[in-house]
Amino acid sequence: MMQSADAMKGRLVIKAVRNVRKGLEEDEAGRGMYRPGIKLDLQRSRLITESYRQTEGRPMVLRRALALEHILTNMDIYIQDWEKIVGNAASSPSGLYFGIDMNWRSVMRVVNSKEGRDLLDDDGREELAGLADYWKGRSMSDIHQEVFSGEILKYWKLEGTFLWTHWAELGIPDYEKVFRVGLKGIIEQAGDKLAELDREVPRDYAAKKEFLQAVVIALKSVVAFSNRYARKAREMAIKAGEPADRQRLTTIADICSRVPENPPQTLHEALQSFFILHVLRYLEYSTVGIGVRFDKVFGPFYERDLQQQRITRDEALELLQLLWVKFHELGLIYSPTVTSIYGGAASLQAVTIGGVDELGRDVTNDMTYLVLDTAGSMQSLEPSIALRYHDRTPDSLLDKAVDLVSTGIGYPSFFNDKALLPMLGAWGVPASDARDYAVTGCVYMEIPGKNIARRVIGGISLPKCLWWALHQGMNPLNNEQWGAPTPDPRTFATLNDVIDAYLEQVRYFYHRINTIEQVSGELYEHYLPRPYYSALLEGCIDRARESRAWAYPSQVHPMCIMLGTTNVADSIAAIKKVVFDGKKLTMEDLIDALDRDFAGCDDVRRMLLNAPKYGNDDDYADDIAAEIHHRTQEVVASFTNRWGCRCRGDGSALSATYAAGAVCPATPDGRKSGESFADATLSPSQGRDTNGPTAVLKSASKIDTVRTYNHLLNQKFLPSMFEQGMRDRFLAYLRTWGDLGIAHIQFNVVERATLVDAQQHPEKYPDLIVRVAGYSAYFVDLSRGLQNSIISRTEQSF
Amino acid sequence: MKQGQQVHQDTPATGFIYNIQRFCIHDGPGIRTTVFFKGCPLRCAWCANPESRELKPQLMIRPTRCMRCGRCVDICPNHALYYDQDGTVRIRWSLCDQCHACVGACTSGALEVIGEAMGVPRIIHEVEKDRLFYRNSGGGVTISGGEPLFQPDFLLELLAALRLQGMHTALDTCGYCEADLLSLVLPEVDLFLFDVKHLDACKHREFTGADNRCILENLRYVAAGARTWVRVPVIPGFNDSPEDIGAIADFAREIGAEKVSLLPYHEGGLAKHAQIGSAACSLHIDVPEESAMSSLCAAVETRGITVTLRG
Ligand code: SF4
Ligand code: SF4
């Protein structure tokens, strides 16, 4: 019997983390970090601790594989009475994943704080304290603190110019390969390689052998894990009263005993195989995102099932809806600092649809539309949908996508192949690989199955770098030399002097964040190998090397979130207009007004605000914005990661534009201290784009994606834009966005009045979803400040 | 009938323009840029853009933006500006001679000049910016006002230039002009957005200050020679009865107009009167209910002509 969409929606467990911190201060902590009923799940922590105790002294890669095996053999599994696709990472649907092996201190703080008390009961708190005892000196963050000294340690602490983070490691396994050969095939491949090692005995024989053995342990334990679900389903089927229920459970049992060990034969098997592998990525190691090209990977299974009349469209829709519910069960615990960056997010899962295949052909198929129908019927936070747009994207697909956009859910977000394929080319990704790119979450771009060093290393506050340039790197509050000792700004004779000093500060701070990342990469390789995940990537078994010990040769890897580029550009434009062209102020007057946060200098602030701003299709400001974007990335690219690949910025903004703004003093664009930055790399500053949405696109098109990185652009439209008669204009607007070659766009569709009302009466709007950055969030889960920042985005209405 | 005088300057000619707005989606098909001409021969009681009426630049003052710096008060040669009790700047319009010295002194945006002499190249430069959007949406440029026909020479020059650029053009007009002029304009325009306020001559004169006979004659002429949409501002108490609107619809169908657009009255013009020192209309006009608008739409539809709401 088919299950209704409403019933499905009722099963969504909301694990979005509330945005409880305004910048770094406590704010609204009283309401809890998660929704009521959500609990911290200690099971994985308990099991990994047991295993680690038993394996001390053995090679790390084997320890990780044995730990995974221990977890998979002993963790509680469940099958809820409606499930058709099974798999769980926490011991209950309301449990939160927690990687004690990464960092336990911040989580201990959370569960002992007001905002996190309800996540554990007192027994749980006691158990956690016991487990944490073992990890003292052993967790990744302990190891970090021990290793770092001197300069690195000094800059590691959060000061507000950059934030380096452990968090947000992504990655897309080679699902297509698993579907071709099954885990069985990969285990065989590892076996063959082991035999080859014995024949050839290379110099690093032991290391290679340990890795391959770890792969076999990990993959076999995954097969056994799936068989546990098969057994459980069979036991439940025997007890089931209803024939329909017995049938459902028997099907689960059959499927779980076949996949992921064997190649899937049907859509149902493919989805089950995929979901277990996805859950495993979370169980092996703290991670987020999805990234699968859903239509490309699952479309052929669906098509075959339809042809052979094994499935109806409604049945396939139901399977996807059930999968969507399961995605929602994957939530994790965040540290309080990180909530300021990831406010309202659950685990940043996105699936990709559309685009072209390796040969450049449009991939749109029936599954593409089914994904949009699933999303439309579920209206769920995750997964977000990334739609890859290109010149041959069918009108019917775009039309369907706009239907979904018009509901206000915030996705699909649109990724432009026209901009992104050349960018990947410039990053050294071969064309056929580039054509297969997918988006894991937010705007994180990856190549499925390739060994991409998938980390967001953190974020850098570019307006703060400009602020250091206006203060010679010296903090006026405590006279500490924290930034680069750039020349006295009072001596700046041209605009270039300002820009040079700014870039020097960027270089100074980027050097530091990159150094931290380099050392961390080495530590990750030593302490956190991922044998399971490595086995699902192209090249690891062939090389007999773990994924962290080598890298796909491309600039696609290390990414650092670039915060506030628009504010820097607007600031430089204002300095040009007011100081160097208009000669209305001296640098000294300007800095004085900034240091006073414009107190008593309203007219100075006015002058600065009246200067041309990026986002109005005005070359005066836009040319400067382009220059700032391009030259900032040049500085970033002058650094390399530990594989010698050039570093790059990234447009994923999350809620960090708000958090970083909260700790940044006044800037020359007229922004006051603490005010939010522009909400994304291509977005104009809030309310400063006064020439309408076409002008915004024209401005954004002047920033060269190839010379920078994958961007993010938010636009807000009124619901009336999607009424009959207006919709076609919206479609034309979107097509023009594509023609202009802008990397990305996504839409909030909501009336300002609705948001204001929801802020005042949250109880009336439990389901109101807004787009924050590359993810959607429940409006009521956001802090007041972040809500205000979203309300202040310019509404495009004419 | 008085035509607006063209301000004779050295060639190239300039016109008085008070706004060029991009992404207009209610002024003709597709995504458009609308060029607003300043100056209008009518004086409609409900005017939504009173700042568009005079054929000359005008000071506009928005005291809510004032930061009370006092620079304008010091600079005004005619002592037209003064402070009220809480230090916000105010103006005695009778003393102001529109010298605009104060505007340059104000950094807050509280003082602004509405209307600017612009040459054709500058307008073309501006409307070119959204060409891709026009192409993808079937849009183009709308010339509106004020009343574009009030600056006939400049209008013709602009239309010719737009034609040369291959732009789709729409002319939003109240239709109050010499028939000769229309015969010159007609071949240069792709679509007329022709405002009709009322069919009754007396009522029309009472509320707009002008006769409607030539307007209706001009409409008949235009509709016979070009694509024409009839636009009706729906003003409660003036033309909002189903009979009045229905009669306009009958007329529109009879002369071969493509459709009728109903534009409900809004209060956007009210505050602006005080900001430019013009007298607001003394009678109170209600904003029409959505339900009333729907039944008016239905009234038009039963007359056998397409109707759209707001554009
Ligand atoms: S425009 Fe009027 S108010 Fe302004 S300075 Fe001139 S006379 Fe005074
Ligand atoms: S110059 Fe502008 S801001 Fe200053 S008092 Fe006059 S109107 Fe107000």
Side-chain angles (χ1 to χ4, degrees), chain A residues 562-636:
Chain A
M562 304 305 259
L563 299 165
T565 320
T566 300
N567 299 84
V568 173
D570 285 350
S571 293
I572 302 282
I575 294 175
K576 177 169 156 66
K577 185 82 187 171
V578 175
V579 178
F580 294 107
D581 289 358
K583 307 227 180 314
K584 291 193 183 140
L585 289 181
T586 62
M587 285 303 291
E588 174 133 31
D589 300 335
L590 172 71
I591 294 165
D592 184 53
L594 294 178
D595 286 349
R596 289 198 275 152
D597 197 14
F598 302 114
C601 325
D602 270 359
D603 52 337
V604 170
R605 179 159 183 252
R606 255 308 130 200
M607 261 185 245
L608 297 169
L609 286 172
N610 287 344
K613 296 278 178 278
Y614 164 78
N616 294 294
D617 198 8
D618 172 353
D619 285 341
Y620 191 97
D622 293 350
D623 288 351
I624 289 174
E627 182 181 352
I628 295 299
H629 267 282
H630 300 159
R631 293 184 66 186
T632 303
Q633 170 55 27
E634 276 167 26
V635 170
V636 171

Side-chain angles (χ1 to χ4, degrees), chain A residues 268-289:
Chain A
H268 195 166
E269 287 187 358
L271 293 171
Q272 175 61 47
S273 178
F274 154 76
F275 189 66
I276 279 286
L277 298 175
H278 179 54
V279 167
L280 251 296
R281 200 162 57 83
Y282 279 65
L283 272 170
E284 181 182 45
Y285 174 73
S286 304
T287 182
V288 291

Side-chain angles (χ1 to χ4, degrees), chain B residues 59 75-78 80-81 91 95-103:
Chain B
L59 178 69
I75 218 168
C76 175
N78 299 317
L81 295 160
I91 185 167
L95 296 181
C96 170
D97 69 358
Q98 299 285 344
C99 74
H100 302 155
C102 55
V103 175

Side-chain angles (χ1 to χ4, degrees), chain A residues 454-473:
Chain A
R454 307 138 297 265
R455 272 177 45 73
V456 180
I457 71 173
I460 182 163
S461 168
L462 300 170
K464 189 76 184 277
C465 291
L466 176 62
W467 183 82
W468 288 116
L470 297 177
H471 294 86
Q472 298 181 263

